[in-house]
């Protein structure tokens, strides 16, 4: 009977040893998986932090753009309104000048610059003679004014003497076009 119990005990000890080995292996796997999970959790937290930061930065940029657009739109709307009041007679008032006043010349040169045409009185007269000139100005592609054109236009838009009020002393139509030049430059700057 002792012998049978000894054999039984040895068998059970083998089973216990095998189970302990399995437990040890399982424990190693669990520890490894916990480490991986902890690393993944750290990565997710880092990604979440980065995404939150980028989201905040994007919101700041969007808010700035909205503020800038809020500045540009009234100027654009005022320019469009001023252009709407112009007719062929008003345009004729500008093109009849053989030698236009300086403010009118400056305005037409600025308009030609925005339109990417040579900034000369001869070119301005050609454009003013076009029956679709006003429509082209009213429907101008303001979203695609190049950086180069904007830089060239600064010669006019940063000139303290180039304002609709000052230009209106020489010509109402030129004053509306001056307003348009300023609005196009402001909008194009904001649009970037």
């Amino acid at each position: 009977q002792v012998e049978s119990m000894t054999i039984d005990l040895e068998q059970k000890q083998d089973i216990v040893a095998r189970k302990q080995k399995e437990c040890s292996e399982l424990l190693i796997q669990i520890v490894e998986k916990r480490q991986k999970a902890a690393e993944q959790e750290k990565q997710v937290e880092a990604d979440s932090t980065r995404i939150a930061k980028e989201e905040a930065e994007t919101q700041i940029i969007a808010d700035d753009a909205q503020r800038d657009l809020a500045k540009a739109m009234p100027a654009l709307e005022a320019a469009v309104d001023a252009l709407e009041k112009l007719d062929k007679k008003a345009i004729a008032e500008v093109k009849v000048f053989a030698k236009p006043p300086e403010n009118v010349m400056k305005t037409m040169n600025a308009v030609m610059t925005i339109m990417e045409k040579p900034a000369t009185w001869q070119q301005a007269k050609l454009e003013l003679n076009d029956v679709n000139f006003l429509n082209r100005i009213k429907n101008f592609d303001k979203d695609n004014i190049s950086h180069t054109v904007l830089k060239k236009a600064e010669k006019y838009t940063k000139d303290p003497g180039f304002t609709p009020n000052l230009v209106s002393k020489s010509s109402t139509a030129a004053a509306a076009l001056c307003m348009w030049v300023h609005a196009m430059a402001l909008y194009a700057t904001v649009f970037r």
Side-chain angles (χ1 to χ4, degrees):
Q1 192 168 358
V2 171
E3 201 175 290
S4 125
M5 284 175 82
T6 304
I7 292 173
D8 194 31
L9 180 63
E10 285 175 4
Q11 287 175 345
K12 288 190 179 181
Q13 282 177 334
D14 286 345
I15 293 171
V16 168
R18 201 174 51 240
K19 294 290 182 186
Q20 279 181 328
K21 185 180 175 191
E22 287 174 9
C23 277
S24 293
E25 289 171 359
L26 193 56
L27 191 59
I28 290 170
Q29 287 178 356
I30 289 171
V31 168
E32 286 174 358
K33 286 182 180 181
R34 276 191 179 161
Q35 284 176 333
K36 281 183 184 177
E39 288 171 13
Q40 285 177 339
E41 187 177 359
K42 281 181 186 176
Q43 185 61 44
V44 167
E45 284 175 14
D47 288 348
S48 294
T49 303
R50 181 184 51 79
I51 289 168
K53 183 180 175 189
E54 288 174 2
E55 197 174 79
E57 290 170 356
T58 302
Q59 188 60 47
I60 289 168
I61 292 168
D63 291 347
D64 284 349
Q66 191 59 44
R67 267 193 305 278
D68 289 345
L69 193 56
K71 284 184 215 168
M73 288 313 289
L76 188 60
E77 289 163 2
V80 169
D81 186 50
L83 289 173
E84 289 296 330
K85 293 175 182 166
L86 294 182
D87 57 14
K88 288 179 184 177
K89 183 180 172 190
I91 295 300
E93 160 199 323
V94 176
K95 68 181 177 183
V96 296
F97 292 117
K99 186 176 184 328
E102 184 184 339
N103 281 339
V104 173
M105 174 71 94
K106 199 181 288 186
T107 299
M108 292 313 298
N109 285 348
V111 169
M112 294 302 105
T113 300
I114 295 290
M115 294 176 76
E116 296 188 60
K117 306 272 184 180
T120 65
W121 179 243
Q122 291 75 24
Q123 184 65 42
K125 282 187 89 160
L126 276 173
E127 296 299 321
L128 289 167
N129 282 323
D130 180 353
V131 292
N132 291 317
F133 175 72
L134 271 178
N135 283 335
R136 286 194 0 247
I137 291 288
K138 290 174 188 174
N139 299 314
F140 191 77
D141 184 7
K142 62 189 174 295
D143 295 338
N144 289 310
I145 296 173
S146 72
H147 181 71
T148 306
V149 168
L150 267 181
K151 277 290 182 202
K152 287 179 184 176
E154 282 181 1
K155 170 182 175 183
Y156 306 103
T157 57
K158 292 196 175 194
D159 179 348
F162 185 66
T163 66
N165 283 344
L166 291 173
V167 174
S168 70
K169 294 175 182 172
S170 302
S171 163
T172 309
L177 291 169
C178 174
M179 192 181 292
W180 177 82
V181 168
H182 280 286
M184 290 297 112
L186 178 59
Y187 182 88
T189 301
V190 167
F191 189 72
R192 298 203 184 294

